[in-house]
Amino acid sequence: MLSVDPIRWPLEAIWQTVEPHLPGFTCEALPTIDSTNTELMRRFKAGQPEPTLLVAEQQSAGRGRLGRQWHSQRGDSLMFSLGMPLAPADWSGLSLAVGVSLAESLDAANAPAHHIGLKWPNDLWLVTKHPHAMDERKLGGILVETATFEGTRYLVIGVGINVRALDVPLQESTAVAPTCLQNLQPDADVASTLLRVLPPLVQTVQAFEQFGFAPFQARFARRDVLAGRDVQLSDGTQGQAHGVTESGALLVHTAGGMKDITSSEVSVRPVTGHVPPGDMRPC
Ligand code: BTN
């Protein structure tokens, strides 16, 4: 029988950092589950509204946006969900603020040719500058869901980040092969990545609850991979992306004028193609 090294999740360190700011916070790691988002929603509906981090080594029914699937092998992708009650005055732009937080945590100061970009509404991209070209690929995705039960609104933020080269079918939402964090940080693994992103993510969600999306707008703009590009919406509309509004809507200049795109049912693809991978490892 094949033995596998246990993943040493840094749950104690995460708990020590987060709990003083989020009383009642618990962390749990599971070897396998259908979906960490689905499990936290089940628990909430069964009367457990506590703030919880749930990380899984494997998911049998991982979910992405728009009903897509999220596939990964053990140790290849970091898959976790953060659930907590939240009561912001306005929920608009939350998933964009989450993307800003993750991108800022993952960026590496010592890798000037790379940066983490954000593709509205909630994809993380790894952008690599080559001497004559740019390579852009999906690095991860965010699935934000909420449910209300007995007057409490519970938020579940699901995050999938490709850390190690993937050996799975292409994510349906990705036109080109996704990339992985090890292209940016060769020593990255799922456990250390969780420790890097989780405490700042909790702070971000708490800041969002108080101040909304407005303070994140400029930070999103610095990483907005669609800005100034020709885009196509899933309803066929074409136009040019012009950044995001104070409430996180995507501005698209179409033949019919400027449109605010807010629907989570809309997917957006850049019309201008990406450059085929040069010397990057396939992920
Ligand atoms: C997307 O790219 O469409 C979002 C992908 C989100 C995947 C993560 S993995 C952990 C959590 N559990 C899920 O079932 N989905 C999210």
Side-chain angles (χ1 to χ4, degrees):
M1 201 169 116
L2 268 180
S3 76
V4 283
D5 287 341
I7 297 176
R8 294 181 199 287
W9 295 108
L11 299 188
E12 182 64 28
I14 290 173
W15 185 83
Q16 298 272 3
T17 312
V18 170
E19 205 276 340
H21 308 282
L22 193 57
F25 175 68
T26 60
C27 316
E28 189 180 336
L30 295 174
T32 183
I33 188 76
D34 51 354
S35 149
T36 52
N37 267 43
T38 306
E39 174 62 10
L40 284 187
M41 281 299 182
R42 269 195 299 262
R43 292 182 185 187
F44 171 63
K45 287 171 188 165
Q48 291 174 253
E50 291 77 25
T52 305
L53 163 68
L54 190 63
V55 59
E57 295 184 6
Q58 269 179 325
Q59 295 185 130
S60 56
R63 297 186 288 112
R65 281 184 67 242
L66 309 175
R68 294 169 180 141
Q69 295 177 329
W70 178 269
H71 305 278
S72 177
Q73 304 286 342
R74 183 180 181 278
D76 286 352
S77 111
L78 170 62
M79 293 167 283
F80 72 87
S81 299
L82 173 69
M84 57 199 278
L86 207 75
D90 181 0
W91 288 83
S92 324
L94 173 59
S95 68
L96 280 65
V98 169
V100 167
S101 175
L102 296 172
E104 290 178 355
S105 298
L106 292 173
D107 241 343
N110 57 353
H114 302 271
H115 81 272
I116 311 285
L118 293 168
K119 175 178 162 279
W120 187 94
N122 43 15
D123 279 357
L124 296 164
W125 280 19
L126 179 58
V127 181
T128 305
K129 281 186 218 134
H130 296 290
H132 303 291
M134 190 88 96
D135 185 275
E136 301 168 319
R137 291 155 182 256
K138 180 160 174 167
L139 177 69
I142 300 158
L143 177 65
V144 172
E145 297 177 304
T146 67
T148 305
F149 184 61
E150 293 180 347
T152 301
R153 189 143 177 207
Y154 195 71
L155 161 72
V156 176
I157 299 171
V159 176
I161 299 169
N162 301 323
V163 173
R164 206 165 65 181
L166 300 176
D167 183 21
V168 291
L170 289 185
Q171 311 284 345
E172 290 167 49
S173 59
T174 314
V176 292
T179 185
C180 65
L181 195 59
Q182 286 186 348
N183 278 327
L184 176 61
Q185 295 141 19
D187 59 346
D189 60 37
V190 290
S192 59
T193 305
L194 180 64
L195 182 60
R196 260 171 84 178
V197 301
L198 201 277
L201 178 59
V202 172
Q203 280 183 356
T204 293
V205 174
Q206 291 182 319
F208 179 89
E209 184 175 39
Q210 250 191 301
F211 306 113
F213 177 67
F216 296 94
Q217 187 184 10
R219 286 154 70 187
F220 185 92
R222 282 199 279 279
R223 296 175 186 275
D224 183 352
V225 296
L226 295 180
R229 307 223 347 219
D230 292 334
V231 295
Q232 174 153 13
L233 311 185
S234 49
D235 66 3
T237 312
Q238 290 207 1
Q240 195 180 49
H242 277 266
V244 300
T245 66
E246 255 196 19
S247 59
L250 178 70
L251 286 167
V252 179
H253 193 231
T254 70
M258 194 67 93
K259 287 195 173 160
D260 281 24
I261 310 298
T262 53
S263 168
S264 58
E265 299 304 313
V266 172
S267 72
V268 185
R269 287 194 186 291
V271 174
T272 43
H274 92 296
V275 175
D279 56 355
M280 291 185 72
R281 254 174 350 106
C283 281

